[in-house]
Amino acid sequence: MAKDVLVRGVDEEIYATMGNAAKEKGISINSLVKDAIDSWLSRKDDDDAKIHHLILYADDKSLSSLMRSLDYFAKKSGWFRCHFGPADSFGVKTLDELKWHNGTINPYETSTKNMTSYCGSIIKKMMKNANSQPVCCIDFILGDVANKKSLSQALKIEHEYNKSRVGGLMFCPYKTSDLLSAGIQDMIELFEEHDQVFVLKGDKVYKLHLTLESVHKMIMS
């Protein structure tokens, strides 16, 4: 037997929007609300979300806009704000000014023989300082490795990180100029190593979708 679902705090405008959405899907509002509740229940016990996003940017201005927005939301959410990278990086300097925890282990050199091990040490140190808080972290090391060594080297570190992610949000910014000289295979692999890909343009953020398609579908679409 169907039962009514009562949702407190839903005003007329929201209810009307839900009604339109339900009508478009050909279902009842109760079904729409039930789906939302079921979705929430399936995730409510997962307090240790481990998200790994890729950020592509062309200039420091667009990166600055994103970092200041992340700073606002991270503080509001009570996350442990941290970053690491070369001292001369614009991103590192900006987040230092915003009082983010700088987890870079000195001396920092991209010529270090085992950068994967070095980055692993940084992650362990970061988690200790986070003291069980979910983190909001921006990693400028990988973009630096791609610039000074190769994207292939950065990918090895990305792959290793994905074997044991930290709880919270990890953002990896790469300059588009460093990727354009890389092979298409490495670029695709970079996208696949991340949950989502975002492209910055000024103060706007675009989400890039990458799907595998057939030639037939490409021609017939």
Side-chain angles (χ1 to χ4, degrees):
M1 178 184 293
K3 294 184 178 180
D4 290 333
V5 177
L6 175 63
V7 182
R8 299 184 183 276
V10 178
D11 60 29
E12 292 182 1
E13 183 178 351
I14 295 175
Y15 193 83
T17 302
M18 290 170 61
N20 291 333
K23 186 177 181 180
E24 289 177 4
K25 291 179 175 290
I27 59 176
S28 68
I29 291 181
N30 282 358
S31 295
L32 195 65
V33 174
K34 182 181 181 300
D35 286 346
I37 293 173
D38 288 343
S39 178
W40 178 80
L41 286 174
S42 68
R43 302 193 314 264
K44 74 179 183 66
D45 294 326
D46 185 14
D47 294 326
D48 193 27
K50 300 175 180 180
I51 298 170
H52 187 198
H53 288 334
L54 172 65
I55 297 172
L56 305 180
Y57 71 101
D59 54 69
D60 292 340
K61 184 178 179 180
S62 57
L63 184 61
S64 176
S65 179
L66 174 74
M67 289 190 296
R68 294 183 187 282
S69 293
L70 287 177
D71 178 62
Y72 171 79
F73 288 112
K75 281 194 290 189
K76 190 175 181 180
S77 302
W79 291 350
F80 180 71
R81 299 169 298 146
C82 53
H83 69 291
F84 31 84
D88 60 351
S89 163
F90 170 80
V92 168
K93 291 178 180 177
T94 300
L95 294 183
D96 280 345
E97 291 175 1
L98 293 173
K99 308 300 181 185
W100 284 44
H101 175 77
N102 190 334
T104 311
I105 296 176
N106 292 317
Y108 168 79
E109 297 175 352
T110 52
S111 59
T112 299
K113 288 186 178 180
N114 195 336
M115 281 299 291
T116 301
S117 177
Y118 170 79
C119 289
S121 298
I122 287 179
I123 295 296
K124 289 179 182 177
K125 178 184 174 184
M126 177 186 73
M127 294 308 297
K128 184 178 180 180
N129 285 304
N131 194 25
S132 299
Q133 282 181 276
V135 303
C136 179
C137 184
I138 305 181
D139 179 359
F140 296 102
I141 291 179
L142 297 174
D144 193 45
V145 170
N147 172 264
K148 295 177 180 176
K149 298 182 80 173
S150 69
L151 179 56
S152 295
Q153 291 295 317
L155 282 170
K156 291 179 181 178
I157 304 172
E158 294 275 18
H159 183 70
E160 196 63 30
Y161 171 75
N162 278 332
K163 292 180 181 178
S164 182
R165 296 185 179 189
V166 301
L169 294 166
M170 176 67 74
F171 295 97
C172 300
Y174 284 79
K175 265 196 170 182
T176 52
S177 57
D178 294 332
L179 302 184
L180 294 176
S181 59
I184 196 67
Q185 182 173 334
D186 282 346
M187 287 182 64
I188 296 297
E189 186 177 339
L190 178 66
F191 295 160
E192 292 177 339
E193 288 289 346
H194 295 84
D195 298 324
Q196 296 186 60
V197 182
F198 297 95
V199 181
L200 308 182
K201 181 184 178 183
D203 59 354
K204 294 185 174 69
V205 180
Y206 296 85
K207 185 176 177 180
L208 183 65
H209 296 272
L210 190 72
T211 58
L212 183 64
E213 302 286 356
S214 67
V215 175
H216 175 76
K217 188 174 180 180
M218 177 180 170
I219 296 171
M220 299 302 293
S221 294

